[in-house]
Each structure stands twice: as structure tokens, then as C-alpha cells.
Short mmCIF file of all heavy atoms in Angstrom, two decimals:
data_model
loop_
_atom_site.label_atom_id
_atom_site.label_comp_id
_atom_site.label_asym_id
_atom_site.label_seq_id
_atom_site.Cartn_x
_atom_site.Cartn_y
_atom_site.Cartn_z
N ALA A 20 17.22 -3.99 6.89
CA ALA A 20 16.96 -2.55 6.88
C ALA A 20 16.47 -2.08 5.52
O ALA A 20 15.51 -1.30 5.43
CB ALA A 20 18.23 -1.79 7.28
N GLY A 21 17.11 -2.53 4.45
CA GLY A 21 16.70 -2.12 3.12
C GLY A 21 15.31 -2.61 2.78
O GLY A 21 14.49 -1.88 2.19
N PHE A 22 15.01 -3.87 3.13
CA PHE A 22 13.68 -4.43 2.87
C PHE A 22 12.61 -3.65 3.63
O PHE A 22 11.53 -3.37 3.08
CB PHE A 22 13.66 -5.90 3.29
CG PHE A 22 12.29 -6.51 3.29
CD1 PHE A 22 11.72 -6.96 2.10
CD2 PHE A 22 11.56 -6.64 4.47
CE1 PHE A 22 10.44 -7.52 2.09
CE2 PHE A 22 10.29 -7.20 4.46
CZ PHE A 22 9.73 -7.64 3.27
N ILE A 23 12.89 -3.28 4.88
CA ILE A 23 11.92 -2.56 5.69
C ILE A 23 11.68 -1.17 5.12
O ILE A 23 10.53 -0.70 5.05
CB ILE A 23 12.41 -2.47 7.16
CG1 ILE A 23 12.36 -3.86 7.79
CG2 ILE A 23 11.58 -1.48 7.96
CD1 ILE A 23 12.99 -3.93 9.17
N THR A 24 12.74 -0.49 4.69
CA THR A 24 12.58 0.85 4.10
C THR A 24 11.76 0.78 2.82
O THR A 24 10.81 1.56 2.62
CB THR A 24 13.95 1.47 3.80
OG1 THR A 24 14.72 1.55 5.00
CG2 THR A 24 13.80 2.86 3.20
N ALA A 25 12.12 -0.16 1.94
CA ALA A 25 11.38 -0.31 0.69
C ALA A 25 9.93 -0.73 0.96
O ALA A 25 9.00 -0.21 0.33
CB ALA A 25 12.07 -1.34 -0.20
N GLY A 26 9.76 -1.65 1.91
CA GLY A 26 8.42 -2.11 2.25
C GLY A 26 7.53 -1.01 2.77
O GLY A 26 6.33 -0.97 2.47
N PHE A 27 8.11 -0.10 3.55
CA PHE A 27 7.33 1.02 4.10
C PHE A 27 6.76 1.87 2.98
O PHE A 27 5.57 2.21 2.98
CB PHE A 27 8.22 1.87 5.01
CG PHE A 27 7.58 3.15 5.46
CD1 PHE A 27 6.66 3.15 6.49
CD2 PHE A 27 7.88 4.36 4.82
CE1 PHE A 27 6.05 4.34 6.90
CE2 PHE A 27 7.29 5.53 5.22
CZ PHE A 27 6.36 5.53 6.26
N PHE A 28 7.58 2.22 2.00
CA PHE A 28 7.11 3.08 0.93
C PHE A 28 6.15 2.35 -0.01
O PHE A 28 5.19 2.95 -0.52
CB PHE A 28 8.30 3.65 0.15
CG PHE A 28 9.06 4.71 0.90
CD1 PHE A 28 10.31 4.44 1.44
CD2 PHE A 28 8.51 5.97 1.07
CE1 PHE A 28 11.00 5.42 2.15
CE2 PHE A 28 9.19 6.96 1.78
CZ PHE A 28 10.44 6.68 2.32
N VAL A 29 6.38 1.08 -0.23
CA VAL A 29 5.45 0.30 -1.06
C VAL A 29 4.08 0.22 -0.39
O VAL A 29 3.04 0.44 -1.04
CB VAL A 29 6.01 -1.12 -1.32
CG1 VAL A 29 4.94 -2.00 -1.95
CG2 VAL A 29 7.24 -1.05 -2.23
N LEU A 30 4.07 -0.09 0.90
CA LEU A 30 2.80 -0.18 1.62
C LEU A 30 2.11 1.16 1.73
O LEU A 30 0.88 1.26 1.63
CB LEU A 30 3.04 -0.77 3.02
CG LEU A 30 3.39 -2.26 3.05
CD1 LEU A 30 3.82 -2.67 4.45
CD2 LEU A 30 2.21 -3.10 2.59
N LEU A 31 2.90 2.22 1.93
CA LEU A 31 2.32 3.56 2.00
C LEU A 31 1.66 3.91 0.68
O LEU A 31 0.53 4.43 0.66
CB LEU A 31 3.42 4.58 2.32
CG LEU A 31 2.97 6.06 2.38
CD1 LEU A 31 1.94 6.26 3.47
CD2 LEU A 31 4.18 6.97 2.60
N GLY A 32 2.33 3.61 -0.43
CA GLY A 32 1.74 3.87 -1.74
C GLY A 32 0.48 3.06 -1.97
O GLY A 32 -0.52 3.57 -2.51
N ALA A 33 0.50 1.79 -1.54
CA ALA A 33 -0.68 0.93 -1.71
C ALA A 33 -1.86 1.44 -0.90
O ALA A 33 -3.01 1.41 -1.36
CB ALA A 33 -0.33 -0.50 -1.32
N VAL A 34 -1.59 1.89 0.32
CA VAL A 34 -2.66 2.43 1.17
C VAL A 34 -3.26 3.68 0.55
O VAL A 34 -4.49 3.86 0.53
CB VAL A 34 -2.11 2.74 2.59
CG1 VAL A 34 -3.14 3.54 3.39
CG2 VAL A 34 -1.78 1.45 3.32
N LEU A 35 -2.41 4.56 0.01
CA LEU A 35 -2.91 5.79 -0.63
C LEU A 35 -3.75 5.47 -1.85
O LEU A 35 -4.80 6.08 -2.09
CB LEU A 35 -1.74 6.69 -1.02
CG LEU A 35 -0.97 7.33 0.16
CD1 LEU A 35 0.23 8.12 -0.35
CD2 LEU A 35 -1.89 8.23 0.97
N VAL A 36 -3.31 4.47 -2.63
CA VAL A 36 -4.08 4.06 -3.81
C VAL A 36 -5.44 3.51 -3.39
O VAL A 36 -6.48 3.80 -4.01
CB VAL A 36 -3.30 2.99 -4.62
CG1 VAL A 36 -4.21 2.35 -5.68
CG2 VAL A 36 -2.09 3.61 -5.28
N SER A 37 -5.46 2.74 -2.29
CA SER A 37 -6.72 2.14 -1.82
C SER A 37 -7.72 3.19 -1.33
O SER A 37 -8.93 2.93 -1.30
CB SER A 37 -6.44 1.13 -0.70
OG SER A 37 -6.02 1.79 0.48
N LEU A 38 -7.22 4.37 -0.95
CA LEU A 38 -8.10 5.43 -0.48
C LEU A 38 -8.86 6.09 -1.63
O LEU A 38 -9.96 6.61 -1.43
CB LEU A 38 -7.30 6.49 0.28
CG LEU A 38 -6.70 6.08 1.62
CD1 LEU A 38 -5.86 7.21 2.19
CD2 LEU A 38 -7.79 5.68 2.61
N PHE A 39 -8.28 6.07 -2.81
CA PHE A 39 -8.88 6.78 -3.95
C PHE A 39 -9.42 5.87 -5.03
O PHE A 39 -10.26 6.28 -5.84
CB PHE A 39 -7.84 7.73 -4.57
CG PHE A 39 -7.33 8.78 -3.62
CD1 PHE A 39 -6.10 8.65 -3.00
CD2 PHE A 39 -8.11 9.90 -3.33
CE1 PHE A 39 -5.63 9.62 -2.12
CE2 PHE A 39 -7.64 10.87 -2.45
CZ PHE A 39 -6.42 10.74 -1.85
N PHE A 40 -8.96 4.62 -5.06
CA PHE A 40 -9.38 3.71 -6.11
C PHE A 40 -9.83 2.37 -5.51
O PHE A 40 -9.24 1.90 -4.53
CB PHE A 40 -8.26 3.46 -7.13
CG PHE A 40 -7.71 4.71 -7.76
CD1 PHE A 40 -6.54 5.28 -7.27
CD2 PHE A 40 -8.37 5.32 -8.81
CE1 PHE A 40 -6.03 6.44 -7.83
CE2 PHE A 40 -7.86 6.47 -9.39
CZ PHE A 40 -6.69 7.04 -8.90
N GLN A 41 -10.84 1.79 -6.10
CA GLN A 41 -11.32 0.48 -5.68
C GLN A 41 -10.66 -0.58 -6.56
O GLN A 41 -11.11 -0.86 -7.67
CB GLN A 41 -12.85 0.41 -5.80
CG GLN A 41 -13.59 1.34 -4.86
CD GLN A 41 -13.38 0.97 -3.40
OE1 GLN A 41 -13.26 -0.19 -3.05
NE2 GLN A 41 -13.34 1.99 -2.54
N VAL A 42 -9.58 -1.15 -6.07
CA VAL A 42 -8.85 -2.16 -6.81
C VAL A 42 -9.13 -3.53 -6.18
O VAL A 42 -8.88 -3.71 -4.97
CB VAL A 42 -7.33 -1.88 -6.81
CG1 VAL A 42 -6.59 -2.95 -7.60
CG2 VAL A 42 -7.07 -0.49 -7.39
N SER A 43 -9.61 -4.46 -6.97
CA SER A 43 -9.96 -5.77 -6.45
C SER A 43 -8.74 -6.48 -5.85
O SER A 43 -7.69 -6.59 -6.50
CB SER A 43 -10.55 -6.62 -7.59
OG SER A 43 -10.83 -7.93 -7.13
N GLY A 44 -8.88 -6.94 -4.63
CA GLY A 44 -7.82 -7.70 -3.97
C GLY A 44 -6.72 -6.86 -3.36
O GLY A 44 -5.81 -7.40 -2.73
N LEU A 45 -6.80 -5.52 -3.51
CA LEU A 45 -5.71 -4.67 -3.00
C LEU A 45 -5.65 -4.69 -1.47
O LEU A 45 -4.57 -4.77 -0.89
CB LEU A 45 -5.88 -3.24 -3.50
CG LEU A 45 -4.78 -2.24 -3.07
CD1 LEU A 45 -3.41 -2.72 -3.53
CD2 LEU A 45 -5.08 -0.85 -3.63
N GLN A 46 -6.81 -4.62 -0.82
CA GLN A 46 -6.83 -4.63 0.64
C GLN A 46 -6.25 -5.93 1.19
O GLN A 46 -5.53 -5.93 2.20
CB GLN A 46 -8.25 -4.44 1.16
CG GLN A 46 -8.80 -3.03 1.01
CD GLN A 46 -8.05 -2.02 1.85
OE1 GLN A 46 -7.41 -2.37 2.85
NE2 GLN A 46 -8.10 -0.76 1.46
N LEU A 47 -6.54 -7.03 0.51
CA LEU A 47 -6.00 -8.32 0.94
C LEU A 47 -4.48 -8.33 0.78
O LEU A 47 -3.76 -8.82 1.66
CB LEU A 47 -6.63 -9.43 0.09
CG LEU A 47 -6.43 -10.87 0.59
CD1 LEU A 47 -7.08 -11.06 1.94
CD2 LEU A 47 -7.01 -11.85 -0.43
N ALA A 48 -4.01 -7.78 -0.32
CA ALA A 48 -2.56 -7.71 -0.56
C ALA A 48 -1.88 -6.81 0.46
O ALA A 48 -0.77 -7.11 0.94
CB ALA A 48 -2.29 -7.21 -1.98
N ILE A 49 -2.53 -5.69 0.82
CA ILE A 49 -1.96 -4.78 1.82
C ILE A 49 -1.85 -5.47 3.17
O ILE A 49 -0.83 -5.36 3.86
CB ILE A 49 -2.82 -3.50 1.93
CG1 ILE A 49 -2.71 -2.66 0.65
CG2 ILE A 49 -2.41 -2.67 3.14
CD1 ILE A 49 -3.63 -1.47 0.60
N SER A 50 -2.89 -6.20 3.55
CA SER A 50 -2.86 -6.92 4.83
C SER A 50 -1.75 -7.95 4.87
O SER A 50 -1.01 -8.07 5.85
CB SER A 50 -4.21 -7.58 5.09
OG SER A 50 -5.24 -6.62 5.20
#
């Protein structure tokens, strides 16, 4: 449960970053 909660917010933050910034390898890491 804790891993899933933390993972949700980490992935949400990564997705938001990918919308505004072009970071090399970020999309691969998100997937």
C-alpha cells in the first residue's frame, strides 16, 4: 500500500514534468 501510494505521486509528478520539459529518457523511465 505504501509503495503504491508513493509510486502514484512520483509518477504523477514525472508525467507533469514531461508535459512542460523535454528531459532525455524521462518517457522511458515513466513507462
Side-chain angles (χ1 to χ4, degrees):
F22 170 81
I23 291 172
T24 302
F27 172 79
F28 287 106
V29 169
L30 288 171
L31 178 62
V34 169
L35 291 176
V36 169
S37 70
L38 292 176
F39 299 102
F40 304 98
Q41 295 295 325
V42 180
S43 177
L45 182 58
Q46 287 295 337
L47 193 63
I49 291 174
S50 297

